[in-house]
Amino acid sequence: MSGRRIELDGENVEKGGQQFVSGRGLFNDGYTKIHRIEPHGFASMPIKGAKAFLLQPNGDADQAYVFGGEHPDHRPSDLPGGGTAIYDSSGNIISLVGTSIRVKSGGVLMVISPDGVAITGGTVTHNGKDIGDTHRHGGVFAGGDITSVPV
């Protein structure tokens, strides 16, 4: 059995509920339409330049599989031990860190923790309408920039 790191070229194909990727190895050896293994309940599409591990059972390229597909320039670098993140190449991220859930999209950050909910940036709306800085909804939700709201 042999394995090596490859750089994916972004030529991804979905067929029969499975994903197949292509890329190049260390000595410019090419691999096309290699089955990429993903865990249950998670789907992603690796971008050009992502790194992956290619495994060839019995040294046979026709039986190869690819694991991973992470691009080093887009991976969150601030996760502590035990942290988990789902992210894309545009900077959107959902992370589970300690007792907090963080959702970041564009210039908006929402943190849900035992202390409450904090939203920084953006506009808070209810039923499509800006609810402003002073509106209270059941005493739990405030509009505008929220720094801390008890739940």
Side-chain angles (χ1 to χ4, degrees):
M1 186 168 316
S2 67
R4 63 195 50 156
R5 182 175 137 164
I6 66 171
E7 183 171 303
L8 302 179
D9 62 12
E11 298 294 324
N12 308 321
V13 176
E14 296 277 343
K15 183 178 179 186
Q18 298 178 330
Q19 186 179 83
F20 298 87
V21 297
S22 300
R24 297 223 165 260
L26 179 62
F27 300 106
N28 209 27
D29 45 337
Y31 300 92
T32 58
K33 296 182 182 169
I34 305 297
H35 182 205
R36 179 173 174 247
I37 305 294
E38 295 180 281
H40 173 76
F42 178 81
S44 68
M45 188 66 70
I47 61 173
K48 181 177 183 176
K51 312 301 184 220
F53 180 70
L54 179 125
L55 183 65
Q56 296 173 294
N58 305 315
D60 184 356
D62 290 335
Q63 297 178 9
Y65 295 94
V66 169
F67 298 88
E70 183 168 65
H71 196 290
D73 293 342
H74 298 285
R75 183 186 186 288
S77 60
D78 61 347
L79 286 176
T84 300
I86 300 170
Y87 62 95
D88 66 10
S89 61
S90 298
N92 298 303
I93 183 170
I94 299 171
S95 60
L96 309 172
V97 178
T99 59
S100 296
I101 300 170
R102 298 184 300 177
V103 178
K104 179 182 173 190
S105 181
V108 178
L109 173 64
M110 179 175 70
V111 179
I112 302 168
S113 73
D115 295 331
V117 177
I119 300 174
T120 304
T123 302
V124 177
T125 62
H126 181 261
N127 291 333
K129 296 179 183 176
D130 181 352
I131 60 175
D133 292 331
T134 58
H135 179 80
R136 302 293 289 176
H137 192 299
V140 175
F141 191 78
D145 286 344
I146 300 173
T147 54
S148 180
V149 179
V151 270

